[in-house]
Structure formats: C-alpha cells, structure tokens
Amino acid sequence: RKEVEQDPGPFNVPEGATVAFNCTYSNSASQSFFWYRQDCRKEPKLLMSVYSSGNEDGRFTAQLNRASQYISLLIRDSKLSDSATYLCASNTGGFKTIFGAGTRLFVKA
Amino acid sequence: NAGVTQTPKFRVLKTGQSMTLLCAQDMNHEYMYWYRQDPGMGLRLIHYSVGEGTTAKGEVPDGYNVSRLKKQNFLLGLESAAPSQTSVYFCASSSELAGENSYEQYFGPGTRLTVT
C-alpha cells in the first residue's frame, strides 16, 4: 500500500461547480500535510498547508481527518484556470515528505 | 528573487554518458532535495541534504550521486546514464517554519532528461 494515495481522476467538472478530492495517508505519525498544484509540464507549486484540523484560502478549503487518516481539498466556484493536477503530501516531522501521485482536474466551460 | 532554479531544462543522453544537473536557491534554505517524477508514480525522493556539506539517500538513490559544497547549490550527478533514468527531475528546497514542525517545499522548474 502506498503511504499517500489519491484518486488519479480525471475529475471533469463544469465552471462554477464545487469539487472535492480526498487523499489518504497510512503513517499515523504524519504531522503536516500539503496540497500542491501542478500544471502540465511545470513544477509543483504549494497551494495550501494543513497543520491542524484544516485551512481555508479563498475558494479553497483543506480539511484533515486524523481518525480516518485522510485530508480533503474542496474547490468552490471552479474556474477554467483551476484545471491542473493536485498533489497531496504528508510529512512526519522530519525531512522526508511523501507525495501522492496526484489527481487530475479538468474544468470545462 | 529567483527562488529555485535548475539547469539544464532539457537534455538527451546516450546510455553510458554522464551528466550533472545543477540546482540553485536564493532563499537561504537549509534543506534541499532531488526528486524524479514518472507517470503514475508521483514524486520520488532521490537524495536530500540537510545543510552545506551533508547529503543523504532517499527512496531511489541508485545510479545517482549528489554534492552540496555551497548552501545555495545542490548538484545531482548521473555517472553512467541508463534508459530507466529517463524522467523529469525536480529540485526543491525548504526551511523549517518557525513554530511549526513542518517543511514546506519549493520546487524548481524541472529538467526533462531522456536517455536513449
């Protein structure tokens, strides 16, 4: 079992829709979690960090469920420009961060 | 403030050739990392460094060597390239956040390497 798992998608949603991705992690010692956005042929860029129960930034909300060992990313009012791959990552407090393989999102007009 | 830069952006090698990928960061970060990204596999850690003059093996270190002679630079070497090393290579850096036990990573633009 991979340490961080994501549904690869793709998720196809219309503009304006709300979409949610889940990411499960297997290491209960994980302390910090991240969502990165990666555009095609580009580098991952940090979207959001989650250190406690959750975080919100504009249209984006990340929530952490330690009991079930998953984090979610909710995108409200989807824009065409939100089309990308979203990577989930967990960190156990050391230097090693484990990344999921990513979830692809396509937002269509 | 350029952040994290990588050179070269693209490279094609023949099997057995060697090359060095250069990563530089201007954020005064202590920690630096080299990853490879392959379809369906996500980012896999090759080597990392927790400070100038120190390096350590990651998840997939075989066939690669690294050096961190200066705090701002982290070099990844392929001594004898193999087709299995065809991949996109990303460098990243991080600094422990004050008050949080966490390491947000910032990535360079990547190097696309093809080994024929």
Side-chain angles (χ1 to χ4, degrees):
Chain A
R1 182 185 171 189
K2 292 181 183 177
E3 199 164 332
V4 175
E5 289 198 89
Q6 298 181 248
D7 181 344
F11 285 66
N12 294 289
V13 302
E15 265 189 299
T18 295
V19 62
F21 313 132
N22 276 348
C23 167
T24 59
Y25 62 95
S26 60
N27 190 340
S28 59
S30 296
Q31 298 182 20
S32 307
F33 304 87
F34 309 93
W35 282 103
Y36 286 82
R37 172 200 169 116
Q38 187 173 24
D39 293 297
C40 188
R41 301 179 76 84
K42 297 287 188 181
E43 73 272 25
K45 292 186 177 177
L46 183 65
L47 178 66
M48 193 170 287
S49 304
V50 184
Y51 304 119
S52 54
S53 61
N55 197 1
E56 184 172 330
D57 183 6
R59 298 183 293 109
F60 298 85
T61 300
Q63 290 193 315
L64 170 62
N65 185 317
R66 288 195 184 273
S68 301
Q69 294 190 196
Y70 75 86
I71 62 171
S72 62
L73 178 68
L74 182 78
I75 304 175
R76 290 180 295 276
D77 189 22
S78 298
K79 312 290 184 191
L80 294 175
S81 57
D82 293 333
S83 297
T85 296
Y86 291 84
L87 307 179
C88 164
S90 73
N91 180 287
T92 56
F95 304 105
K96 198 169 73 167
T97 297
I98 306 297
F99 289 84
T103 297
R104 296 186 71 186
L105 171 66
F106 293 102
V107 181
K108 302 191 174 185
Chain B
N1 210 0
V4 181
T5 58
Q6 290 182 234
T7 54
K9 288 187 169 48
F10 305 93
R11 186 73 185 268
V12 178
L13 288 180
K14 292 189 188 320
T15 297
Q17 287 185 318
S18 63
M19 77 165 293
T20 300
L21 284 68
L22 173 63
C23 175
Q25 53 95 4
D26 61 3
M27 297 177 282
N28 201 33
H29 283 169
E30 284 294 330
Y31 317 123
M32 297 186 75
Y33 315 82
W34 275 108
Y35 293 92
R36 60 178 289 173
Q37 187 175 40
D38 302 291
M41 302 287 289
L43 289 160
R44 292 184 291 169
L45 184 64
I46 304 171
H47 285 280
Y48 64 99
S49 168
V50 302
E52 181 178 318
T54 70
T55 62
K57 293 181 180 179
E59 180 186 355
V60 289
D62 294 341
Y64 306 95
N65 57 74
V66 288
S67 64
R68 184 120 181 250
L69 299 179
K70 293 183 179 180
K71 184 177 183 178
Q72 64 267 32
N73 294 340
F74 195 28
L75 277 62
L76 177 71
L78 284 73
E79 290 184 345
S80 180
S84 60
Q85 294 177 304
T86 293
S87 188
V88 181
Y89 292 86
F90 289 104
C91 175
S93 70
S94 71
S95 178
E96 183 177 0
L97 297 180
E100 298 282 1
N101 187 19
S102 175
Y103 303 88
E104 296 179 346
Q105 295 189 19
Y106 296 88
F107 287 82
T111 295
R112 293 186 173 275
L113 175 66
T114 301
V115 183
T116 61

